[in-house]
Amino acid sequence: MSLRLALVGDGRMSRAIAALAPAEGHRVVTVIAGEENVGGAALTATRLAGVDVALEFTTPTAAPGNLLRLAALRVPTVTGTTGWLDRLPEVQAAVTGHRAALLHAANFSVGVQLFLRAARALAAEFAGRPAFGAWIEETHHAQKLDAPSGTARALAAALRAGDPARAFPVTSIRAGHVPGIHSVAYDSPHETIRLTHEARGREAFAAGALAAAAWLVGREGVYTFDQMLFGEAP
Ligand SMILES: NC(=O)c1ccc[n+]([C@@H]2O[C@H](COP(=O)([O-])OP(=O)(O)OC[C@H]3O[C@@H](n4cnc5c(N)ncnc54)[C@H](OP(=O)(O)O)[C@@H]3O)[C@@H](O)[C@H]2O)c1
């Protein structure tokens, strides 16, 4: 399926998507940058005419306003922006009310989604073994705005699904150019077990977001990437 795409945001993720889109047979017809879109002002029917799907990768403060505008315009939207999920009920109501479509994910890597399922299974195995302490570590580039990362929050939720009785404290590191490393560790006096996902670039996120865009066309409602991949919550 060949899609006409709007990119909302012109940062690292939007550039990664723009670089990959032609190879997947898609065309980026408009890129909406931050300075022209204060409060979602550039998201108009004229600007988005003929767009099949919008891909929204901006900031935690900008995303909810953008998503409300895109829902009102009934432009199917894939968002990977993190740090805004406290506004999800409001956005969800708008998407449903306008019979629009939204797919959101803190991480569009298929490997991460499988890692979250492996983490849930690991947590279930360690449940009821207080000799092991557990924690999460995540490292990202110095420019990342939110901490803990959306993926670290998803990892904590997956681990709690496997072991509801345990707390999983998160340590966040912001330094250098790291695209994203997430680990869960279990540690006893004599041994350490670690499960780690390390992204080597943004290509996996871009590929997942484009796959989500193709999947979303023709649908109505609010979806997550794991629902798309597995048909259920992780
Ligand atoms: N789901 C995933 O797989 C995944 C993967 C990587 C990153 N992310 C998340 O995606 C988001 C973007 O990441 P990034 O690395 O691309 O960040 P980035 O390089 O900092 O880019 C963000 C861009 O959003 C723009 N922006 C701000 N407000 C805007 C608005 N109202 N309308 C349009 N654009 C606006 C900024 O423009 P100005 O500079 O002009 O303000 C900036 O260019 C972050 O929340 C990050 O955590 C998700």
Side-chain angles (χ1 to χ4, degrees):
M1 181 193 298
S2 173
L3 300 174
R4 286 160 301 179
L5 304 173
L7 301 184
V8 183
D10 61 349
R12 282 167 285 246
M13 271 309 298
S14 293
R15 289 196 293 274
I17 291 166
L20 187 65
E24 302 279 326
H26 307 312
R27 194 154 59 91
V28 175
V29 295
T30 188
V31 179
I32 296 166
E35 70 270 14
E36 60 175 323
N37 192 40
V38 176
L43 300 174
T44 63
T46 309
R47 183 72 180 267
L48 295 166
V51 164
D52 296 310
V53 183
L55 292 118
E56 203 273 358
F57 285 80
T58 62
T59 65
T61 47
N66 288 337
L67 299 178
L68 292 171
R69 298 279 290 223
L70 291 160
L73 293 165
R74 301 198 69 219
V75 176
T77 300
V78 169
T79 183
T81 307
T82 53
W84 64 273
L85 283 185
D86 54 323
R87 302 273 307 272
L88 182 60
E90 184 190 347
V91 170
Q92 205 151 9
V95 172
T96 309
H98 291 291
R99 300 188 60 201
L102 174 71
L103 189 149
H104 65 91
N107 198 305
F108 278 108
S109 142
V110 173
V112 159
Q113 297 302 328
L114 294 168
F115 166 77
L116 295 177
R117 293 165 79 85
R120 181 177 66 179
L122 187 71
E125 293 296 335
F126 277 92
R129 297 195 181 275
F132 289 86
W135 70 91
I136 294 169
E137 294 165 13
E138 58 105 345
T139 306
H140 283 87
H141 56 88
Q143 279 72 41
K144 185 168 174 62
L145 294 178
D146 53 324
S149 68
T151 303
R153 292 174 195 271
L155 177 56
L159 291 163
R160 277 197 302 272
D163 183 0
R166 199 190 280 271
F168 294 93
V170 182
T171 297
S172 300
I173 298 167
R174 296 288 173 266
H177 303 272
V178 181
I181 304 172
H182 294 87
S183 287
V184 54
Y186 284 89
D187 187 75
S188 81
H190 309 296
E191 55 195 342
T192 305
I193 298 93
R194 274 181 201 276
L195 186 65
T196 300
H197 178 277
E198 179 164 356
R200 285 196 291 271
R202 292 182 175 78
E203 291 81 2
F205 308 137
L210 287 171
W215 184 87
L216 194 60
V217 169
R219 288 186 154 83
E220 275 180 23
V222 177
Y223 302 93
T224 59
F225 192 45
D226 52 87
Q227 283 172 333
M228 170 188 143
L229 291 174
F230 309 115
E232 53 175 285

